Amino acid sequence: MKPVKLLAASLVVLAALGATTGAAAQSDDDKVVLTIGLTQDLDTPNVTAGELVSSYELYNLQYASPTDLASADFATSPGLAESWEVSDDGRTVTYTLREGLAWSDDTPLTAEDIAYTINRSRDEEWLNYSSTVANLTAEAPDERTVVVTSKVNDPRLPGLSLYIVPKHVWEKVPADDVGTYAALDGVGSGPFTLSEWKKGQFWRMEANPNFWRGQVEIDEVVFRVFRNADAMVAALRSGELDAAHNVPASSFPDLETEEGIVAVAGEQGGFDYLVVNSYDNEPERDTEVFDAPHPALTDPVVRQAIAHAIDKETLVERVLNGIATPGTTMSPSPNPAWIPELTEDEVYEFDLDKANQLLEDAGYTDSNGNGIREYEGEDIVLRYAIRSESEYSKPYAEFITGWLEQIGLDTTLSTYDDGQLIEVAGKGDFDLYVWGWTPFVDPDPMLSYFKCDQISVDASDFSNYYNDTGLCDPEYDELYTQQNVELDPDRRQEIVHEMLTRFYTSAAYIVAATSPDLQAYRTDRFTGWVKQPAETGPVLFSNSSPSYWNLTPTGESSSDSGLSTGGFVAIAIAGVLGIVLVGWYFLRRRTAEERE
């Protein structure tokens, strides 16, 4: 009788929940809801600390910046500032803000918020702000005037694409807590602000009535997280989603020909790379807290052999379904002009014989004939991390570990979600993994990530994994400093090319492919999708995400595509009911077996 009681009691609870949530669902029926599917959850809503593309989409929607990036070509355009004047030496810019700016909670947004963000983020070296504000000082002589001065030449000025945080919220956060602040306050100046986040399931953003561009025509945006990319595509086809990001390459060709769906291969400089942990004791880490790579990987010859063992053409065709281009150097910008042309001697062509010869000549031999080369008498076994949130990570691993086996390098595999892998990378507790980058418009941020001071050394915080190679190259740092202040665009490009070539030669980052963002959207509920840049870019998850405030409902029901609060609870109810029924079945079965 016990299982029957459990089921009956559960049905009563479910009936009560249904009665409670029915009204909530009813009240949501008139909302215009845009529902986006993706396979990567937020790492944090905290704009100072987030590192994932998913989180940056939230930041684009919640926080406006003094200047914006034009949808067509990323040109500097007005944002919170309606105009600006530049001093003769180019180092001081005086911005005039729009009249009547306000945060989503109706608190006035003034010049003081901008000065506060710049000065505090500089002083406290906020992770996602440092490369932009390191040399800047800001003053607010009145509510609508911000004077920003750089102590060095800054080729990015007057552009100031910087997420401005609300002073009245952030001044309550102590300096020691900035990186760990939950940031669920939902106060912003962009078109939407965060209203709810269920980790691993979804996050919801509601329209900001005080957005400076005016009231948008969407009431809510819901981002639904899928653990299975094929399930996400099925939800798009069925109309549960209005759009999907990170569509599997295997599904993309069919979506291109499907009526009512537009498939987009958006180019914005994104690339996939194999990172080789190359940390070699600089800067110094606490060895009781931080791990180290396999010592063989600190030898550039071993890394070069690995680079020669990667068949990028095969990875593009077999893993990415041909929808990508084999990579060379890191891509620091959506503008391909920043990528240098390599000479034949500089390129690591796929050549297993050459890779084997390099290792043999360097003394990495297989003395016992077990097929694994040795370092100081021990088999070389490399720790390979696989991302559970990437459809491509496992097939990448299958090919790459197979090629490494052919050059006498063994591997052990471990699987992590993205949040776990960030910490693993910060602690240096890996040897190899494949991940991807989507760069900003200006190359400076991407270049800054691989300086010596970006290697995680703080035992209390493993969130900074930007320099996941662990490679410290003082000459690279010096070149970074030069390009950072170079006003001549041609000379700056030359310096960047030298940096990227040097970084490529180190073989710490082996770029497998420059790959587009594969997305798709339905045409039945919304019009006005905007590519950034025009013609070739994606419509979502771009540098400033302009689609959201340009979309217009077609007149067909858009609330049906999203999930209201009642909808999410209904799913939960169905899940609970399923669990109860399954639990009842197994408990009943177990009881019968015990009787026997």
Side-chain angles (χ1 to χ4, degrees), residues 172-372:
K172 300 172 186 175
V173 181
D176 291 344
D177 297 338
V178 163
T180 57
Y181 174 50
L184 298 174
D185 53 83
V187 179
S189 54
F192 296 90
T193 57
L194 182 65
S195 58
E196 185 179 12
W197 177 32
K198 295 291 185 183
K199 191 169 178 60
Q201 300 177 45
F202 70 93
W203 71 94
R204 184 196 314 277
M205 304 188 75
E206 60 185 22
N208 173 15
N210 297 327
F211 181 41
W212 66 264
R213 293 179 184 270
Q215 184 68 50
V216 294
E217 297 193 47
I218 296 170
D219 297 309
E220 285 185 352
V221 182
V222 176
F223 294 88
R224 286 179 57 188
V225 180
F226 288 79
R227 295 306 181 197
N228 182 290
D230 291 329
M232 177 180 70
V233 172
L236 177 71
R237 286 187 163 122
S238 70
E240 295 175 47
L241 299 176
D242 296 302
H245 175 63
N246 274 348
V247 168
S250 57
S251 302
F252 192 78
D254 288 340
L255 289 177
E256 285 185 298
T257 61
E258 192 156 333
E259 186 177 355
I261 291 178
V262 175
V264 178
E267 298 284 357
Q268 56 175 345
F271 62 94
D272 294 345
Y273 63 91
L274 173 70
V275 60
V276 182
N277 191 347
S278 309
Y279 176 73
D280 191 15
N281 301 319
E282 291 292 340
E284 188 175 350
R285 284 170 159 172
D286 183 347
T287 56
E288 293 185 2
V289 177
F290 291 91
D291 209 333
H294 190 288
L297 296 181
T298 64
D299 183 350
V301 173
V302 175
R303 302 198 300 267
Q304 291 163 8
I306 292 174
H308 279 296
I310 307 301
D311 185 351
K312 299 176 182 180
E313 297 278 356
T314 294
L315 292 178
V316 167
E317 291 303 317
R318 300 286 297 279
V319 176
L320 302 176
N321 206 34
I323 311 175
T325 304
T328 55
T329 71
M330 178 173 64
S331 170
S333 166
N335 182 355
W338 292 104
I339 299 177
E341 291 286 340
L342 300 175
T343 66
E344 282 188 26
D345 292 339
E346 290 169 332
V347 173
Y348 294 120
E349 294 287 358
F350 175 59
D351 190 333
L352 291 174
D353 290 338
K354 185 170 184 175
N356 273 303
Q357 194 61 55
L358 283 169
L359 294 172
E360 197 73 25
D361 292 346
Y364 299 97
T365 59
D366 173 16
S367 64
N368 59 12
N370 68 349
I372 306 173

Side-chain angles (χ1 to χ4, degrees), residues 75-214:
T76 297
S77 58
L80 294 174
E82 63 182 10
S83 63
W84 50 84
E85 294 181 1
V86 183
S87 63
D88 291 341
D89 64 3
R91 293 190 180 186
T92 298
V93 184
T94 302
Y95 299 90
T96 300
L97 303 187
R98 300 174 186 277
E99 289 188 22
L101 292 174
W103 294 99
S104 56
D105 64 358
D106 294 329
T107 302
L109 192 167
T110 70
E112 184 60 34
D113 290 293
I114 297 174
Y116 170 83
T117 301
I118 292 172
N119 295 332
R120 183 175 180 185
S121 64
R122 179 202 62 232
D123 292 343
E124 297 177 3
E125 297 182 343
W126 291 357
L127 178 63
N128 289 334
Y129 287 71
S130 290
S131 69
T132 301
V133 302
N135 297 309
L136 301 183
T137 299
E139 298 176 351
D142 61 56
E143 289 191 349
R144 291 185 57 208
T145 305
V146 184
V147 181
V148 176
T149 301
S150 177
K151 63 183 179 183
V152 297
N153 292 338
D154 189 334
R156 293 164 295 183
L157 290 177
L160 196 59
S161 296
L162 187 75
Y163 299 121
I164 301 303
V165 299
K167 179 183 177 182
H168 66 285
V169 173
W170 282 80
E171 65 184 354
K172 300 172 186 175
V173 181
D176 291 344
D177 297 338
V178 163
T180 57
Y181 174 50
L184 298 174
D185 53 83
V187 179
S189 54
F192 296 90
T193 57
L194 182 65
S195 58
E196 185 179 12
W197 177 32
K198 295 291 185 183
K199 191 169 178 60
Q201 300 177 45
F202 70 93
W203 71 94
R204 184 196 314 277
M205 304 188 75
E206 60 185 22
N208 173 15
N210 297 327
F211 181 41
W212 66 264
R213 293 179 184 270

